[in-house]
Amino acid sequence: MEKLDLSQLDNEEKALEIKFIINRYIKYWPWYIGFILLLLTASYIFHRYTVDQYSVAGTIVIKGNNSPEAKILDRSSIFSGQGNLENDILMISSKNLARETLAKLHFDVEYFAKTNIKPIELYDRSPIRIEVDWNHLQITDTPMELEILSGETFRLNPSEGGFFDLSPAIASGDDGLYNKTFRFEEWIETGKSRFNVHLVNPGRVGDMVIVTLRNPVALEEILSRSLGITLVNAQASVLEIRMNTTVVEKGRDYINSLMDSYLEYELREKNRNAENTLRFIEEQLSFLEDSLQKKERELQNFKVENRMLNVSAEFSQILSRMNTLEDNAQAMDFQLAYFAAIKKYMEEKTKDYSQVIAPSVVGIPDPLLNGLIQTLVTLSQDRRKLLASLNENHPEVNKIDVQMEKVQEALFENIVNLIQNTEIQRASLQRDINIYDSQFATLPESESQYSSIFREFKLRENLYTYLLEKRAEAGIARASNVSDNAILDYAKRGTLVFPKKDQNYIMAILIGFMIPFGFIVIKDIFDDRIRDQRGLKKHFMIPQLAVIGHSKKDTNMVVLEHPKSAVSESFRSLRSAINYIAPDKKSKKILVTSSVSGEGKTFTSLNLASAMALGSKKTVVVGADLRRPKLASYFNGSEKIGLSTYLIGKVDVKEIIMPTMNEFLFYIPSGIIPPNPAELLQTDRLKELIQYLEENFEIVIFDTPPLGLVSETIDLMRLFDLNLYVVRQDYTMKDHLVMINDLFNNKQVKNVYGVFNGIIDSGYYYEGYNYGYGNTYLYSQNNKYMYNYYGDDLDEKKKLIKKSKGFFRKLISKFKA
């Protein structure tokens, strides 16, 4: 004998389970399509009425402070380029720089095209341009409709807002402007407004433009916060400046102007030292010019009065030495004055060194001093940048303060040493000057006076020449200054960032699918009813004997009145299964029960009895549900006598057996409702009745009360050969099956089989068949061979199709008419 491959059966069962799960949820496809279409429509409407936002970006190269002096003073990386980048980021996003940028642009007035869908900003495509006097009181953030009447006049009206505009803010407008005609190029002034309207495009007569004035101070706040500044690469000092805007051209112009303004600011800061030096030199030159002219006139007058044309060689030699010494002394005095000014800065503990002049500019070639002061000036500039957008207690400002304190300590110590050394040199130089002064005393009086005047003149002349040279050098330095930073890429194009249409449509499809799918899954999780054979198998441990299809007939006597229907065939299958289970029984006693009322036990009992009778089996069906008698009503009989009257001994057994239209089918009604139905079903007369029926009928079927509601049914089940437990699709609760499962597992009842009633969807699909459990089959409506046999159902389907065709013909004829 060939060995059975159990693994192959297991794989087939798994495949069948997967098919069930797929078909379980695919059958709800109209809900999926409906929700997907709904969300796609909602997405389209959202895109239609939403203003698109674009991302615009430009890049700028920032050069850090890598001066060797900084590295010598501090090796703890506090002067790293990253710190400078953070300062530059704060400066670029500051409101001060936003103010300078807005001064170059025309953002204080917004122009929109009048539409009923969504606002469309015209920006540079506006046919008009408004010049606003911000020194006057202005009504801002209130839209006004400007209608171009002709090439010379226009009218202002309050904006009514679009369909989706919930806050048009008309109440806060200027009523003195509305519903009036004005002329272009003329100033319009009221108590709340003052502006001038220029017509840019005369060919747009008749257009309606919505105008909104925006407060420049509020714009500074908004635009400074709208920037996103990031480092492009960790290995490079390149910053990307990005912002979101509804108009690409507007965002592009702002970012480009912002980068230009930043470079201009950097250049101004770089030129500040040169400008301070020039200012200082100009002041000194102005003073020396008057003094030099005075000494020149004094020297000329002295020579004319004393008729002196030349001086002796000895006098010339002494005078030359004296001039050299005086020049050196003057230079030292100049250096001491500079050192004293720097020391005063140190002693005042100031944080602003923007006015400090570099030593190299004033002729002090000390590299250490130059490096220290340059570093201190750079830190002071960085601090000023931070304070443009931060307060003094911010960690970044405190970090620069710590750096400045370190440089100040080194600079103060260096200045004190320089002052001491210079004073010593100055004292030595003064002694040499005094020696030459004593030599001058031996010269004649006229020559002595001349030499004194000439010496002062040469001193001022040399100093004047020196300052002229320094002024030229400072001017050249200022003219040749360029910003250390540079724009790498100007902003040009914009990228759509909101709404992301493709992504939204994909999300709409996914969500449209997941909403009904999730609802169905949750519904299945919390569903406590038996929905299909899969759920029945999971919660019903009793073997299933048959499945009964859902009947759409108007009668409960389906087998007798519609013997060719699909439901009738399912009862024939049940009949065959019963004959297979108990083939040796001459008379079969069958009990039919269920969990609760309404699950179809009476319907099953009645039609099973009818199927047995049609098979020429003498059958009797007994209405044993004494609490809710219904059996007699199906045969149009009376409940005056029946099982209850027999059990109390009022009638004989032959009196309660009633015939039907079928010669093989009989029934016993329940009789009147007794006060003690449970006790009556426990009497010996019931056993006598069962014995009598077993002797006189081939099939005995008892329609009993529901097992979950009464207690006597359990006792009755022990008296029968076969017990059928009816479970109804979409009706029976899962918890109701707990009792019969426990009874079956504990072997308190025997010969119990399940009947799945009212099947519309049996649960398993495979090539047109719905497979049940055991050896039973239910032919579904999608079987194309089904109607070849079941003529009744075929006739009903034909009638339904005919009615549908007739309806559509009438509908089409109405449209044609």
Side-chain angles (χ1 to χ4, degrees), residues 293-563:
Q293 291 176 357
K294 180 180 177 181
K295 284 297 178 182
E296 186 178 9
R297 287 193 300 269
E298 184 179 351
L299 182 63
Q300 290 177 352
N301 293 334
F302 184 85
K303 292 175 69 175
V304 171
E305 291 175 358
N306 293 275
R307 297 180 180 179
M308 295 183 64
L309 299 177
N310 295 309
V311 293
S312 64
E314 182 182 1
F315 173 76
S316 298
Q317 185 179 5
I318 295 174
L319 184 61
S320 176
R321 293 178 181 175
M322 286 286 294
N323 289 335
T324 302
L325 293 174
E326 289 288 353
D327 290 342
N328 295 336
Q330 184 68 31
M332 288 186 182
D333 290 339
F334 192 74
Q335 292 179 12
L336 286 172
Y338 177 78
F339 295 152
I342 298 299
K343 184 179 180 183
K344 184 179 179 182
Y345 264 103
M346 301 293 102
E347 293 173 346
E348 291 177 353
K349 302 291 184 183
T350 181
K351 301 293 183 182
D352 184 9
Y353 289 87
S354 60
Q355 302 298 325
V356 175
I357 302 173
S360 59
V361 176
V362 296
I364 302 177
D366 190 320
L368 181 59
L369 180 64
N370 271 283
L372 290 172
I373 291 181
Q374 185 61 40
T375 302
L376 198 60
V377 170
T378 301
L379 291 174
S380 177
Q381 292 174 350
D382 292 343
R383 189 175 187 273
R384 289 178 63 247
K385 291 180 185 179
L386 293 176
L387 292 178
S389 56
L390 304 174
N391 55 44
E392 293 188 353
N393 296 324
H394 194 274
E396 291 293 333
V397 179
N398 294 334
K399 181 179 178 180
I400 290 184
D401 290 342
V402 172
Q403 298 174 21
M404 292 183 67
E405 288 178 2
K406 292 183 178 181
V407 179
Q408 284 175 339
E409 292 175 0
L411 180 60
F412 187 80
E413 182 179 354
N414 184 264
I415 286 293
V416 171
N417 294 332
L418 287 174
I419 290 175
Q420 292 176 355
N421 294 334
T422 306
E423 286 178 347
I424 293 173
Q425 295 177 9
R426 180 66 174 83
S428 176
L429 191 63
Q430 186 62 44
R431 286 193 297 270
D432 294 340
I433 293 173
N434 292 336
I435 292 173
Y436 282 105
D437 282 340
S438 63
Q439 292 179 4
F440 265 96
T442 61
L443 296 175
E445 181 178 359
S446 60
E447 290 182 357
S448 177
Q449 291 177 0
Y450 174 79
S451 63
S452 177
I453 297 172
F454 183 75
R455 186 178 61 187
E456 292 181 3
F457 168 74
K458 290 299 291 183
L459 177 64
R460 285 165 173 77
E461 185 182 35
N462 292 338
L463 182 59
Y464 187 78
T465 303
Y466 173 78
L467 291 177
L468 286 176
E469 293 175 356
K470 291 299 178 183
R471 184 178 68 175
E473 292 175 1
I476 293 172
R478 185 182 65 174
S480 61
N481 269 347
V482 294
S483 177
D484 292 333
N485 307 322
I487 296 175
L488 187 61
D489 287 314
Y490 280 99
K492 294 180 180 179
R493 302 179 61 184
T495 304
L496 182 66
V497 294
F498 180 84
K500 295 183 178 295
K501 298 182 180 180
D502 295 339
Q503 180 178 333
N504 290 344
Y505 284 129
I506 294 174
M507 290 297 296
I509 294 173
L510 293 177
I511 295 174
F513 174 79
M514 291 304 299
I515 288 177
F517 180 78
F519 178 79
I520 295 168
V521 170
I522 293 173
K523 177 176 173 292
D524 288 345
I525 292 174
F526 292 97
D527 189 9
D528 55 356
R529 297 182 184 273
I530 301 297
R531 298 295 181 183
D532 47 46
Q533 293 192 72
R534 181 171 174 268
L536 180 64
K537 180 180 180 181
K538 186 181 296 184
H539 297 89
F540 197 46
M541 299 180 181
I542 298 171
Q544 183 178 334
L545 194 60
V547 292
I548 307 298
H550 176 71
S551 176
K552 298 181 180 180
K553 310 301 182 182
D554 295 334
T555 177
N556 287 317
M557 307 290 290
V558 179
V559 175
L560 291 179
E561 298 182 10
H562 301 280

